[in-house]
Amino acid sequence: MIRFLLLFSRQGKLRLQKWFTAYTDREKKKVIRDMIMLVLARQPRSCNFIQWRDLKIVYKRYASLYFCAGLEASDNELLSLEVLHRYVELLDRYFGNVCELDIIFNFEKAYFILDEFLMGGEVLETSKTAVAASMQETDTLQETMEEYMSKPAY
Amino acid sequence: MPAVSKGDGMRGLAVFISDIRNCKSKEAEIKRINKELANIRSKFKGDKALDGYSKKKYVCKLLFIFLLGHDIDFGHMEAVNLLSSNKYTEKQIGYLFISVLVNSNSELIRLINNAIKNDLSSRNPTFMCLALHCIANVGSREMAEAFASEIPRILVAGDTMDSVKQSAALCLLRLYKTSPDLVLMGEWTSRVVHLLNDQHMGVVTAAISLITCLSQKNPDEFKTCVSLAVSRLSRIVSSASTDLQDYTYYFVPAPWLSCKLLRLLQCYPPPEDGAVKGRLVECLETILNKAQEPPKSKKVQHSNAKNAILFEAISLIIHYDSEPNLLVRACNQLGQFLQHRETNLRYLALESMCTLASSEFSHEAVKTHIETVINALKTERDVSVRQRAADLLYAMCDRSNAKQIVAEMLSYLETADYSIREEMVLKVAILAEKYAVDYSWYVDTILNLIRIAGDYVSEEVWYRVIQIVINRDDVQGYAAKTVFEALQAPACHENMVKVGGYILGEFGNLIAGDPRSSPLVQFNLLHSKFHLCSVPTRALLLSAYIKFINLFPETKATIQEVLRCDSQIRNSDVELQQRAVEYLKLSSIASTDVLATVLEEMPPFPERESSILAKLKKKKGPGAVSVTELEDNKREGGELNGGGERGPDTSAMSTPSPSADLLGIRSAVPVGAAPASAGSLLVDVFSEAGPAAVSAAVNDDGFLRFVCKNNGVLFENQLLQIGIKSEYRQNLGRMYLFYGNKTSVQFASFTTTVSCPGELQLQLNVQTKPVEPLVEGGAQIQQVLNIECLTDFSEAPLLNIKFRYGGALQNLTLKLPVTINKFFQPTEMASQDFFQRWKQLSQPTQEAQKIFKASHGMDTEVLKAKLLGLGTALLDNVDPNPENYVCAGVIQTKGQQVGCLLRLEPNAQAQMYRLTLRCSKDSVSKRLCELLAEQF
């Protein structure tokens, strides 16, 4: 399973953090720091995998953002690389040509999309259509809510 | 402002985020955040009830602030309120907040669980999924207790929507991982297994993660999944690239599900049913065949997904280790990848081949790639790939290629990255030893290792080379010649000086015939390094010098001169001074015969009991060989692998053999060794024997030092330091243990166990939580023990520590210094009361008395400090003799209180003490007396 997923910028700013197992706040901070240092220091065209403690780190850069996942020893590195890619595709599909700013300003949406795709560190739904459909469905729910909200509360 | 504003853009939130982004400095950001926090707090506290939208917006802002790295200490209640909103967006934000900022506040958890319960029973699939996500995100035990029985029902119910089933499966998996005892599959087992047959690919993909985990823990109950998995895999593998529609990823049919199926099969041995096995072998062959087909797309996603399945199939083939044909094909495939232009594939191929190298069917096939791997070690740009190459070389090494591989690794070491040097050194040392047929090669290799990477050569490595040289007389002359040459270098590593000093001290005579290495030349060479060395090395050199006096009488005058000079005989370091004085004395008063006996050549290191396991139980240095390696290395009768703990300057170690100190006088003769003639003679010469009993099984060196103090270092060796801090109140205590990793390499599988042997478990209650299994190099981890004294006790709890260092298992047991006196409450009383009570406790069994010699100075202040450290009250003006000390205290146990009186009567002239204890309980008097008699 995936233990954690981090998104950070080339400047080392954390944009999204998702923890699939229990980490204390201190451990989280340490992991984040280590990951950013480790990944940003990599030469271009290095391999996408790093051994770190007992975890396999899989990372990939998309434009200005690094996507970085910590895997257990039994996980498949190549496929996890595609997990990252699929997540980028899903973001892209939702935001339309996603960029770092979308994730900053709509961080909650980035979390919701991730929740549709991964759960407990395992792949929940690999179909792009299915994920997109369920995001759309919830957005529809929201729009009706907006209408609802425009009415007086009492 | 971003272009996108889908759904309900929360305008206030977007403005706030913009503000933060526009902050020019960290201070400005903090200022803006504090302003916002104040605003939100006042909104939440205000009299006006907030509408759902505002509440959602503010909770979302808090979440954003938290994700920026700031602490949030309020808003939880508002988030919980959002959970019960009937508006989806509010609920969703509420759940997100809870998932990210879990709070173990039990009040809140009850409310959260309540909201979740409502949503689970709402029959609204979207709400149910939100609730399941929240459970999976938090995954706490309280949630497991509340929902572990409900979720399997949702998972297998006929009318559950597919999307909910998917979430339920993975939610259950999360709960099973945190609290396996609460998730009881029992009646659901077969229905869960049959989810593998589900029509919906998404359901199968989610369910298989759960099934794999359950199968690992209960393989028998789930074994029917094997045939189902094989048929599902077969259907996917044989499907055309577009059959599975949405579950086809870049022309690869269902890569996630395929990998999961192959992974599930790795929980089991090969299928027994011939038909199932045939079908599976067919699948594996198809996967291997597909690798040779031209790609259907040039996109990297296509090749990644395809190769992911291929690597998983290879893992399964290696796991079965029974199909020579498939193993060789797998190896060839990996061989192709070794030269692939994708770095990722080269990395994975090297990694996979490591496991393949251990199979007898494919070991030879792996070996054919040696040149490619060596080339990778030399030319790869990425250090993580080079590391894998080094690992693979190590794994593929055997007698036939050892010289080549060791030579390559040595030459790589000269330029290797600092991060992997220590590991490389260990690997070279292990290989050189394991495959040494020609011991001069072995000696050369280790000396080269010290020359190239001396800083990374741990003690165990150079102990070992000495041990081997001593045990093999065919290599001694060569070793002496080689170290002599190595020491000629103007700058040589201190470890080289140590090895040189030891070997020349033992075998310098073998090369003394050559005038270029005459005794005096040898001595001058060694002594030219002396002043640059650390104290332990100097001590070793002094021992080498006294050995020289025996080997070469002509050097006696020169060496005595050296020993006699002020920098030796008056050295501020006690150890050096002692050696200089003793050696000088020994060389001048002992007759030649005595000298020859005392300074005899070291006897061969004894062969250990052949049982490999028995060896592993002992303390092992890194560089020790792992179990499997030991097993296939029986040819030398274990002599080579005889453990790394022997060697110069390790006399404190618990080896039941002649002291490893060159002379065996450093801390007298270890008890339990057949006293070598050398040992007893030395005792005669110096008429002094120190206490030297070190229990082989349990290390209790530190134990007695803690009777009168609560903090300090309990244990320390080259790898590990254990510090203690403790505090006691009434019958309760808390002890903090600090485990420090002194090396630069991480300890893996670090576990500690505290046990109360025998009846102690009824007397003392010790509770603790497991520690982190990894201790990074240089890092320290902490463990807290909660101790409750139920009734008085005499034994001590045991602390067992196990971890892996450099592949070798370390196992250590220590006595924890929890002693009965820790539960003392001091009692002040006047002289009259004291003697009245003293008389009351007059039964002979209530008194314990001991007369003993002072083993430390009899300084008043020190004594007082110790008695106070004991935990009792030190009573002044009570005893008629002012020289005497009296103390009083009450030991608090859960069951009872034990009053204790103590009297310590020093006799300064005789350097003796008389210690008397009177307690209301016999066993306490006895125990306290035992403990205290060792303290003064």
Side-chain angles (χ1 to χ4, degrees):
Chain A
M1 70 178 276
I2 301 176
R3 296 267 189 92
F4 57 80
L5 176 72
L6 304 176
L7 267 61
F8 47 85
S9 70
R10 280 170 61 194
Q11 291 75 37
K13 284 249 182 203
L14 189 66
R15 296 302 181 203
L16 185 135
Q17 47 175 317
K18 183 79 183 177
W19 308 89
F20 295 107
T21 44
Y23 280 88
T24 63
D25 286 346
R26 251 184 80 186
E27 288 165 341
K28 285 182 186 173
K29 287 207 170 108
K30 172 138 181 48
V31 171
I32 292 169
R33 206 174 48 233
D34 283 6
M35 284 305 111
I36 292 178
M37 266 171 45
L38 196 65
V39 170
L40 291 184
R42 301 279 291 171
Q43 301 289 324
R45 295 166 52 92
S46 296
C47 83
N48 295 88
F49 317 128
I50 313 169
Q51 185 74 37
W52 179 78
R53 300 199 203 165
D54 59 337
L55 297 185
K56 297 170 174 178
I57 305 303
V58 172
Y59 73 94
K60 186 158 183 177
R61 186 178 145 186
Y62 288 91
S64 60
L65 267 191
Y66 282 93
F67 288 64
C68 168
L71 314 180
E72 290 179 348
S74 61
D75 281 308
N76 190 311
E77 291 101 329
L78 281 176
L79 209 55
S80 305
L81 208 49
E82 294 317 301
V83 167
L84 300 182
H85 185 74
R86 185 32 72 94
Y87 182 45
V88 175
E89 287 184 349
L90 292 169
L91 291 170
D92 212 47
R93 181 147 176 172
Y94 182 78
F95 289 109
N97 218 350
V98 65
C99 67
E100 193 182 337
L101 277 182
D102 291 324
I103 295 172
I104 296 172
F105 279 94
N106 300 286
F107 69 97
E108 80 282 10
K109 293 283 191 289
Y111 276 100
F112 297 149
I113 295 171
L114 188 59
D115 271 352
E116 295 293 334
F117 175 45
L118 297 178
M119 185 170 182
E122 301 283 356
V123 171
L124 176 66
E125 177 55 84
T126 63
S127 155
K128 207 155 57 165
T129 335
V131 173
S134 87
M135 279 310 289
Q136 192 131 42
E137 192 184 337
T138 59
D139 271 349
T140 337
L141 277 172
Q142 286 172 358
E143 262 130 28
T144 44
M145 214 66 68
E146 277 303 287
E147 292 159 22
Y148 184 79
M149 284 308 303
S150 60
K151 289 173 195 156
Y154 298 99
Chain B
M1 290 291 289
V4 178
S5 175
K6 275 214 167 191
D8 65 329
M10 283 173 276
R11 206 184 135 65
L13 178 66
V15 170
F16 175 57
I17 296 176
S18 288
D19 283 0
I20 295 287
R21 284 180 55 77
N22 291 334
C23 285
K24 296 270 184 299
S25 64
K26 195 80 194 157
E27 289 73 34
E29 182 184 309
I30 291 174
K31 211 172 146 200
R32 178 69 186 86
I33 284 169
N34 285 337
K35 186 179 151 205
E36 192 63 37
L37 285 176
N39 172 38
I40 298 173
R41 199 169 286 162
S42 73
K43 285 284 192 308
F44 283 167
K45 273 193 188 150
D47 318 326
K48 235 174 60 187
L50 282 180
D51 59 41
Y53 174 82
S54 313
K55 215 182 273 176
K56 175 180 88 174
K57 185 178 71 186
Y58 293 131
V59 165
C60 214
K61 279 183 181 175
L62 286 178
L63 191 56
F64 181 78
I65 294 170
F66 177 78
L67 290 171
L68 279 178
H70 302 269
D71 290 333
I72 294 294
D73 54 3
F74 69 102
H76 301 79
M77 202 57 212
E78 283 74 14
V80 173
N81 285 341
L82 287 177
L83 297 186
S84 46
S85 162
N86 56 0
K87 292 172 195 157
Y88 182 74
T89 39
E90 290 171 17
K91 204 184 261 297
Q92 201 184 20
I93 294 289
Y95 273 125
L96 180 61
F97 185 93
I98 301 295
S99 303
V100 175
L101 281 112
V102 204
N103 198 314
S104 56
N105 184 330
S106 60
E107 279 297 300
L108 229 43
I109 285 283
R110 246 204 336 268
L111 291 170
I112 296 168
N113 279 357
N114 231 344
I116 290 176
K117 196 166 279 169
N118 289 336
D119 282 337
L120 280 185
S121 53
S122 70
R123 310 190 72 81
N124 173 336
T126 335
F127 286 7
M128 286 172 90
C129 282
L130 278 182
L132 289 168
H133 267 292
C134 183
I135 300 173
N137 277 324
V138 177
S140 68
R141 188 150 179 98
E142 289 92 337
M143 288 205 172
E145 277 164 2
F147 303 110
S149 55
E150 174 66 15
I151 296 171
R153 220 185 302 275
I154 298 176
L155 175 60
V156 298
D159 57 348
T160 307
M161 299 263 298
D162 287 333
S163 62
V164 179
K165 267 191 197 167
Q166 286 167 275
S167 298
L170 291 179
C171 182
L172 195 57
L173 172 61
R174 176 70 206 270
L175 293 186
Y176 184 76
K177 279 185 176 164
T178 39
S179 319
D181 53 317
L182 295 177
V183 179
L184 304 170
M185 293 314 293
E187 45 180 321
W188 312 115
T189 305
S190 104
R191 295 171 74 177
V192 169
V193 171
H194 276 89
L195 288 172
L196 286 177
N197 270 339
D198 201 285
Q199 293 283 314
H200 191 282
M201 291 284 274
V203 172
V204 193
T205 310
I208 194 167
S209 296
L210 172 67
I211 296 169
T212 305
C213 182
L214 291 169
S215 300
Q216 275 162 354
K217 299 280 160 57
N218 330 286
D220 283 341
E221 288 166 49
F222 283 83
K223 64 170 180 273
T224 48
C225 70
V226 173
S227 59
L228 292 179
V230 170
S231 62
R232 190 95 211 192
L233 180 68
S234 161
R235 266 182 282 156
I236 298 173
V237 170
S238 57
S239 66
S241 54
T242 49
D243 282 359
L244 301 171
Q245 293 154 358
D246 231 17
Y247 291 90
T248 297
Y249 181 82
Y250 290 87
F251 304 101
V252 181
W256 278 280
L257 182 52
S258 306
C259 282
K260 286 277 175 193
L261 287 165
L262 289 162
R263 174 63 52 185
L264 170 60
L265 291 170
Q266 287 171 57
C267 303
Y268 290 93
E272 281 158 20
D273 182 329
V276 177
K277 187 168 180 191
R279 211 165 168 198
L280 178 56
V281 169
E282 217 169 89
C283 286
L284 294 172
E285 279 171 346
T286 313
I287 294 171
L288 286 168
N289 291 339
K290 278 190 182 169
Q292 302 301 328
E293 290 170 10
K296 293 197 175 66
S297 154
K298 285 205 173 102
K299 287 244 156 84
V300 67
Q301 283 76 27
H302 171 72
S303 67
N304 278 352
K306 190 166 140 186
N307 291 327
I309 300 174
L310 180 58
F311 274 106
E312 211 57 67
I314 291 175
S315 292
L316 182 62
I317 293 169
I318 298 172
H319 168 76
Y320 285 162
D321 199 15
S322 61
E323 300 282 332
N325 176 32
L326 286 176
L327 278 165
V328 171
R329 280 194 71 182
C331 186
N332 292 340
Q333 181 61 57
L334 293 178
Q336 282 184 20
F337 283 154
L338 283 183
Q339 315 215 34
H340 203 279
R341 77 196 153 74
E342 278 269 333
T343 316
N344 286 345
L345 291 179
R346 296 198 301 274
Y347 177 96
L348 294 175
L350 288 165
E351 189 184 39
S352 248
M353 261 202 187
C354 266
T355 41
L356 210 48
S358 57
S359 159
E360 54 169 319
F361 299 115
S362 50
H363 184 78
E364 286 303 314
V366 171
K367 271 169 60 187
T368 60
H369 299 289
I370 184 167
E371 295 301 333
T372 318
V373 183
I374 287 173
N375 198 38
L377 186 66
K378 285 180 176 160
T379 58
E380 280 289 350
R381 287 171 48 199
D382 185 344
V383 54
S384 41
V385 185
R386 291 199 296 271
Q387 167 92 57
R388 289 279 165 256
D391 289 348
L392 178 53
L393 281 180
Y394 178 74
M396 67 161 70
C397 191
D398 63 16
R399 191 90 36 89
S400 71
N401 56 21
K403 284 198 176 177
Q404 186 188 8
I405 287 180
V406 166
E408 291 295 344
M409 287 175 118
L410 269 178
S411 76
Y412 175 61
L413 250 182
E414 307 215 27
T415 54
D417 315 75
Y418 291 102
S419 55
I420 62 171
R421 282 197 180 184
E422 185 164 359
E423 202 188 322
M424 289 287 293
V425 166
L426 284 177
K427 285 186 166 153
V428 170
I430 291 171
L431 291 180
E433 184 182 323
K434 192 171 165 189
Y435 298 114
V437 184
D438 161 9
Y439 283 90
S440 51
W441 173 73
Y442 170 76
V443 170
D444 283 342
T445 305
I446 300 294
L447 293 184
N448 265 330
L449 206 53
I450 296 175
R451 194 172 50 73
I452 296 169
D455 283 344
Y456 298 89
V457 173
S458 57
E459 290 190 325
E460 289 76 7
V461 173
W462 68 265
Y463 288 175
R464 196 78 62 91
V465 66
I466 285 170
Q467 196 179 345
I468 287 171
V469 169
I470 285 179
N471 285 6
R472 304 208 53 106
D473 39 20
D474 52 338
V475 76
Q476 288 160 355
Y478 181 79
K481 184 165 156 285
T482 322
V483 290
F484 179 77
E485 282 163 9
L487 287 173
Q488 307 279 344
C492 62
H493 195 273
E494 191 162 337
N495 279 337
M496 188 69 89
V497 179
K498 289 181 188 164
V499 176
Y502 200 109
I503 289 185
L504 291 181
E506 292 291 330
F507 309 114
N509 56 329
L510 300 177
I511 56 167
D514 189 329
R516 283 166 300 173
S517 52
S518 70
L520 261 177
V521 174
Q522 285 184 40
F523 171 73
N524 286 332
L525 180 61
L526 280 180
H527 199 54
S528 69
K529 316 282 181 195
F530 186 90
H531 300 281
L532 300 169
C533 292
S534 65
V535 169
T537 309
R538 288 193 203 182
L540 185 150
L541 284 177
L542 288 178
S543 297
Y545 297 170
I546 186 76
K547 288 235 158 185
F548 265 49
I549 293 185
N550 176 46
L551 286 181
F552 317 115
E554 66 266 38
T555 59
K556 183 169 171 175
T558 318
I559 291 175
Q560 281 184 334
E561 196 57 42
V562 168
L563 292 175
R564 203 176 288 124
C565 79
D566 276 359
S567 63
Q568 309 295 354
I569 211 159
R570 290 181 204 281
N571 195 296
S572 60
D573 184 88
V574 178
E575 178 66 34
L576 292 182
Q577 190 189 83
Q578 188 183 357
R579 285 197 190 209
V581 172
E582 288 173 355
Y583 292 163
L584 188 60
K585 198 80 180 159
L586 176 68
S587 67
S588 39
I589 63 168
S591 71
T592 334
D593 285 351
V594 172
L595 209 58
T597 321
V598 174
L599 300 171
E600 214 175 14
E601 194 177 296
M602 285 294 282
F605 285 73
E607 278 192 24
R608 302 307 162 93
E609 54 286 43
S610 56
S611 158
I612 294 141
L613 277 176
K615 253 182 253 165
L616 278 175
K617 271 186 221 145
K618 291 186 175 181
K619 274 183 271 179
K620 289 285 247 171
V625 194
S626 77
V627 190
T628 47
E629 283 164 334
L630 278 168
E631 271 164 355
D632 55 63
N633 188 31
K634 289 170 186 138
R635 66 203 159 80
E636 289 294 340
E639 165 212 304
L640 270 179
N641 299 315
E645 72 259 53
R646 291 281 315 282
D649 286 315
T650 54
S651 48
M653 294 260 188
S654 55
T655 331
S657 55
S659 166
D661 191 356
L662 206 50
L663 281 169
I665 51 174
R666 184 161 164 203
S667 60
V669 189
V671 172
S677 54
S680 38
L681 261 172
L682 281 167
V683 175
D684 291 346
V685 173
F686 299 111
S687 67
E688 175 207 63
V694 182
S695 152
V698 177
N699 182 322
D700 59 358
D701 293 353
F703 179 74
L704 284 169
R705 283 186 287 115
F706 284 86
V707 171
C708 295
K709 64 175 185 175
N710 287 336
N711 307 330
V713 175
L714 176 64
F715 174 84
E716 182 156 16
N717 65 12
Q718 293 98 7
L719 305 179
L720 179 72
Q721 187 193 53
I722 305 175
I724 282 195
K725 262 180 144 171
S726 45
E727 54 198 31
Y728 295 88
R729 191 170 301 148
Q730 306 276 355
N731 70 323
L732 301 176
R734 179 169 290 171
M735 181 179 277
Y736 298 87
L737 292 168
F738 300 90
Y739 305 97
N741 180 345
K742 290 172 63 182
T743 70
S744 53
V745 179
Q746 73 173 11
F747 296 161
S749 318
F750 191 91
T751 50
T752 63
T753 331
V754 178
S755 58
C756 293
E759 58 180 1
L760 187 62
Q761 51 185 300
L762 303 172
Q763 300 165 337
L764 204 63
N765 186 1
V766 183
Q767 289 184 333
T768 184
K769 285 191 184 145
V771 290
E772 278 292 296
L774 286 180
V775 188
E776 290 299 317
Q780 190 185 58
I781 59 167
Q782 180 187 333
Q783 184 177 30
V784 186
L785 307 184
N786 286 316
I787 303 162
E788 184 186 22
C789 175
L790 302 173
T791 174
D792 70 284
F793 58 95
S794 304
E795 291 303 314
L798 298 180
L799 171 68
N800 178 264
I801 300 154
K802 290 197 185 87
F803 58 93
R804 290 197 161 270
Y805 169 67
L809 183 70
Q810 309 282 325
N811 190 348
L812 180 73
T813 305
L814 303 168
K815 267 192 187 179
L816 275 179
V818 180
T819 45
I820 184 67
N821 63 290
K822 300 291 178 195
F823 303 96
F824 257 128
Q825 289 273 103
T827 318
E828 295 287 347
M829 56 181 82
S831 176
Q832 203 183 349
D833 296 336
F834 184 87
F835 285 103
Q836 194 183 352
R837 292 192 195 191
W838 186 264
K839 275 179 205 141
Q840 282 167 358
L841 298 168
S842 60
Q843 288 173 24
T845 54
Q846 288 177 328
E847 181 182 284
Q849 192 173 68
K850 225 173 205 171
I851 297 170
F852 53 90
K853 211 168 164 40
S855 40
H856 303 282
M858 296 179 89
D859 182 74
T860 323
E861 291 310 313
V862 176
L863 276 178
K864 280 185 176 169
K866 281 188 179 171
L867 288 168
L868 284 170
L870 185 67
T872 50
L874 182 60
L875 307 176
D876 287 330
N877 306 322
V878 168
D879 201 285
N881 180 349
E883 299 291 308
N884 292 349
Y885 303 89
V886 292
C887 302
V890 176
I891 288 177
Q892 307 276 347
T893 73
K894 194 181 181 199
Q896 65 183 136
Q897 299 190 332
V898 184
C900 305
L901 303 175
L902 176 154
R903 191 175 193 199
L904 181 70
E905 298 158 274
N907 180 336
Q909 262 174 334
Q911 291 284 304
M912 300 282 277
Y913 291 104
R914 181 165 74 180
L915 171 71
T916 316
L917 275 140
R918 287 191 177 186
C919 305
S920 56
K921 203 166 176 193
D922 314 350
S923 51
V924 176
S925 307
K926 202 165 143 271
R927 179 60 180 160
L928 282 175
C929 193
E930 282 166 16
L931 286 171
L932 284 173
E934 306 288 339
Q935 299 300 317
F936 302 106

